[in-house]
Amino acid sequence: MLKNRVKELRARYGFTQSDLGKQVDVTRQTIAFIEKGEFSPSITLALKLAKALQTNVDELFWLEGDERDEK
Amino acid sequence: MKNDFRLQYPLWQMGFIILLGAFAYGLSSPVTEVVNTETENSIMISIGGTQSLFAMIALLLYFILLAVFAYQLRKHNKNNPHQKVSAFSIRPPEYLEQDEGMTYITRKAAQKVYTFITWSLPLLAAFAMILPLPKLFIIWGILLVALGQYWIYYREVRSHLKEDAE
């Protein structure tokens, strides 16, 4: 399962799900699905999210069980 | 999102299906009299009083629902010019595909519907072949499968789109 820090970083920058969704051209619901881990985004969307949240894709997403999981 | 017409579309279809089932009941078991003599050729179909009343009420409700549906459809299309819904499109209007997340939940819901259809239709066909079912029961069976598919689709999509705080 893909884990992520989208919610954490979004909160850090003070974005709502709608704000972030607008920046990466998806609906608020899609951001919510990603945050809840219901849905794994495409590489394109992952790159857009990383850019919007000023981080790298591998800092934003990682596989469950990886060392990053211990964050 | 929960007020999105496309999300509610399966519920409208379910309403139409229920009324169609009621209409089918109203038209069931008509008495047919065929006269075929040298001087007269005629067919007379008569429906029982209660049943014909049932059919008339179902038909009336159907047209009322259709009028409300058409109004809601126009309202949606006026408010969402980039996501217009056509009641006559081949592609089901309830598909939510504005981005990859919505496409994902639509696909999940469609998979569940497909699973339901793959066993329910052959089962219905088997029942219809084996059991001496009246025509009305077969019609109701088909309508029940249609009702089931819309309900499964609606429940699945709705479960993902429950409004949650941002």
Side-chain angles (χ1 to χ4, degrees):
Chain A
M1 187 184 168
L2 196 67
K3 309 283 269 183
N4 70 80
R5 293 170 62 207
V6 174
K7 192 173 183 176
E8 178 198 328
L9 292 177
R10 178 174 65 76
R12 184 184 293 176
Y13 290 107
F15 296 146
T16 62
Q17 290 175 339
S18 301
D19 294 336
L20 185 58
K22 277 177 195 160
Q23 286 190 52
V24 297
D25 204 24
V26 297
T27 56
R28 182 189 78 75
Q29 285 76 18
T30 293
I31 300 296
F33 299 153
I34 294 168
E35 288 182 356
K36 285 189 274 186
E38 281 183 30
F39 161 68
S40 300
S42 65
I43 295 171
T44 310
L45 182 54
L47 286 165
K48 283 182 181 176
L49 284 168
K51 192 176 175 186
L53 297 169
Q54 298 172 36
T55 186
N56 299 317
V57 172
D58 60 348
E59 287 292 325
L60 194 57
F61 296 99
W62 67 95
L63 289 170
E64 190 175 22
D66 275 8
E67 24 187 271
R68 286 179 193 278
D69 204 17
E70 289 159 18
K71 277 179 187 182
Chain B
M1 189 77 205
K2 69 178 176 184
N3 293 324
D4 191 319
F5 184 75
R6 291 168 307 158
L7 180 61
Q8 295 168 351
Y9 194 85
L11 297 178
W12 285 98
Q13 295 306 313
M14 287 170 75
F16 285 124
I17 288 166
I18 289 167
L19 289 176
L20 207 59
F23 183 66
Y25 169 74
L27 286 186
S28 67
S29 311
V31 179
T32 309
E33 190 183 338
V34 180
V35 179
N36 188 12
T37 62
E38 283 182 5
T39 54
E40 188 185 352
N41 280 310
S42 66
I43 297 175
M44 196 172 76
I45 301 171
S46 58
I47 305 169
T50 316
Q51 283 180 320
S52 62
L53 186 70
F54 209 88
M56 291 299 284
I57 291 170
L59 200 62
L60 184 72
L61 289 175
Y62 191 92
F63 283 114
I64 290 171
L65 190 69
L66 196 64
V68 178
F69 173 78
Y71 171 76
Q72 291 290 341
L73 189 73
R74 273 185 64 180
K75 197 171 140 190
H76 169 86
N77 287 344
K78 199 176 169 186
N79 295 335
N80 302 277
H82 301 296
Q83 285 173 353
K84 281 190 176 180
V85 170
S86 166
F88 304 105
S89 67
I90 293 173
R91 197 172 179 75
E94 61 267 31
Y95 282 1
L96 303 167
E97 297 178 306
Q98 56 267 56
D99 64 35
E100 59 185 76
M102 303 306 274
T103 303
Y104 170 75
I105 61 161
T106 296
R107 196 182 68 208
K108 269 187 83 176
Q111 279 175 340
K112 284 198 174 180
V113 169
Y114 185 78
T115 306
F116 170 70
I117 292 291
T118 49
W119 64 259
S120 63
L121 279 184
L123 202 66
L124 183 67
F127 276 127
M129 280 189 284
I130 296 165
L131 303 172
L133 293 172
K135 194 168 81 176
L136 177 65
F137 280 33
I138 296 168
I139 293 170
W140 276 354
I142 295 166
L143 293 177
L144 204 64
V145 170
L147 206 65
Q149 67 160 16
Y150 280 118
W151 178 241
I152 290 167
Y153 185 89
Y154 176 76
R155 265 194 59 185
E156 180 64 22
V157 172
R158 186 77 183 80
S159 71
H160 288 283
L161 295 176
K162 275 182 189 159
E163 293 295 326
D164 48 358
E166 290 205 24

